[in-house]
Amino acid sequence: MVVPIHAGSGTADTAVNIAEDSLARLSWLKLDDDLGASDESVHARRDADFLPFEAISTDGGDFSEAHSFKSLCIDDQSCYSSQIGRSKAVNVTARYSGGGRCTVDAVTIRNPMRGYDSPVGQAILFASLGVPKLESISNFDYVRNEADYLVELDRWNQQAHTDPAIPKPVAFVNMHGKFSATAPAPISRSSKYLVVKLLRAQGNRDNNIDVEFVGVHGWSGRYLSPCKMMLR
């Protein structure tokens, strides 16, 4: 089942998108609605828990109504299981429900402890300011490990990305042998939407993918912070 979402982006998002790329290359990340505030930090609040996101669509289908993709961003023991028979990566799109935009600087993924035979093995988190264009990140479907991810990330960084709907890579998460894993974002990303790209299940299973929870850490509101590393 795929839930339709409606595209739409404004010039303000385009400006922030361009400014974020430029400032990141200068070792700073500025997030602001009008790019004119002199003190971003007074408008921001560090969330002690996970930033509020709501899963709104998937291209991987649902195993059953009880295993819907809508449970992915809900911090309980429910589990999302994709449709049986899908061998490609699964993309789940989520929308920020805290109002405005936020800053994402880490992601936590948790697998079910028992009762499921296809826990996710690797995943990539992306962030965007516009409704994500999934076709723009399809090359990441073939990533199998962190080395592959860094190669694909380098290719992505060589291109200009001014469209707010093109998702920006946040972090690669390797879940093999783990119940839960947290990966920091080398560069914090402004976000209204997330794409959780579930690459494959552990043990190279091709039947489906199971995952209990995906949560993101960061700031609600506007924020100015030093980047942890350069894009290039």
Side-chain angles (χ1 to χ4, degrees):
M1 178 179 66
V2 177
V3 177
I5 53 181
H6 303 286
S9 60
T11 55
D13 287 345
T14 301
V16 171
N17 207 57
I18 295 171
E20 179 177 314
D21 271 358
S22 299
L23 290 165
R25 287 175 171 82
L26 296 173
S27 299
W28 288 87
L29 176 68
K30 185 176 183 179
L31 308 176
D32 184 44
D33 289 337
D34 58 10
L35 302 180
S38 58
D39 184 4
E40 307 299 334
S41 61
V42 300
H43 301 289
R45 178 175 60 83
R46 176 75 187 183
D47 277 43
D49 298 316
F50 298 105
L51 290 167
F53 274 86
E54 175 189 9
I56 57 173
S57 70
T58 184
D59 61 6
D62 296 329
F63 176 78
S64 68
E65 186 176 348
H67 298 87
S68 169
F69 73 91
K70 294 182 180 180
S71 69
L72 188 67
C73 297
I74 300 174
D75 190 7
D76 59 14
Q77 293 184 337
S78 60
C79 182
Y80 168 52
S81 296
S82 64
Q83 203 167 43
I84 291 290
R86 182 180 176 88
S87 59
K88 297 194 300 182
V90 171
N91 297 287
V92 180
T93 300
R95 179 174 53 214
Y96 181 58
S97 56
R101 62 170 59 90
C102 63
T103 312
V104 175
D105 63 14
V107 56
T108 293
I109 297 180
R110 189 163 64 235
N111 273 329
M113 293 189 69
R114 58 181 65 87
Y116 296 86
D117 62 2
S118 301
V120 65
Q122 298 102 10
I124 304 173
L125 182 72
F126 298 83
S128 70
L129 291 172
V131 177
K133 295 180 178 178
L134 299 180
E135 66 275 12
S136 67
I137 55 172
S138 60
N139 285 348
F140 285 89
D141 288 3
Y142 306 101
V143 168
R144 301 196 66 85
N145 49 50
E146 188 170 6
D148 288 352
Y149 172 70
L150 293 175
V151 169
E152 199 57 51
L153 180 62
D154 184 63
R155 291 175 182 165
W156 190 91
N157 285 336
Q158 302 307 314
Q159 306 171 37
H161 302 285
T162 59
D163 186 347
I166 294 180
K168 296 185 176 185
V170 175
F172 171 81
V173 186
N174 185 2
M175 296 293 295
H176 277 294
K178 302 173 184 175
F179 160 67
S180 178
T182 297
I187 296 174
S188 300
R189 295 294 192 187
S190 54
S191 176
K192 292 182 180 178
Y193 295 89
L194 297 176
V195 177
V196 183
K197 184 179 286 291
L198 304 170
L199 293 170
R200 63 189 57 82
Q202 297 186 29
N204 295 317
R205 294 177 179 271
D206 289 332
N207 50 348
N208 76 323
I209 298 175
D210 305 317
V211 58
E212 183 176 296
F213 174 65
V214 175
V216 292
H217 311 265
W219 299 75
S220 58
R222 300 175 292 184
Y223 184 57
L224 176 66
S225 70
C227 289
K228 300 167 189 172
M229 63 177 288
M230 302 290 282
L231 272 174
R232 295 181 182 174

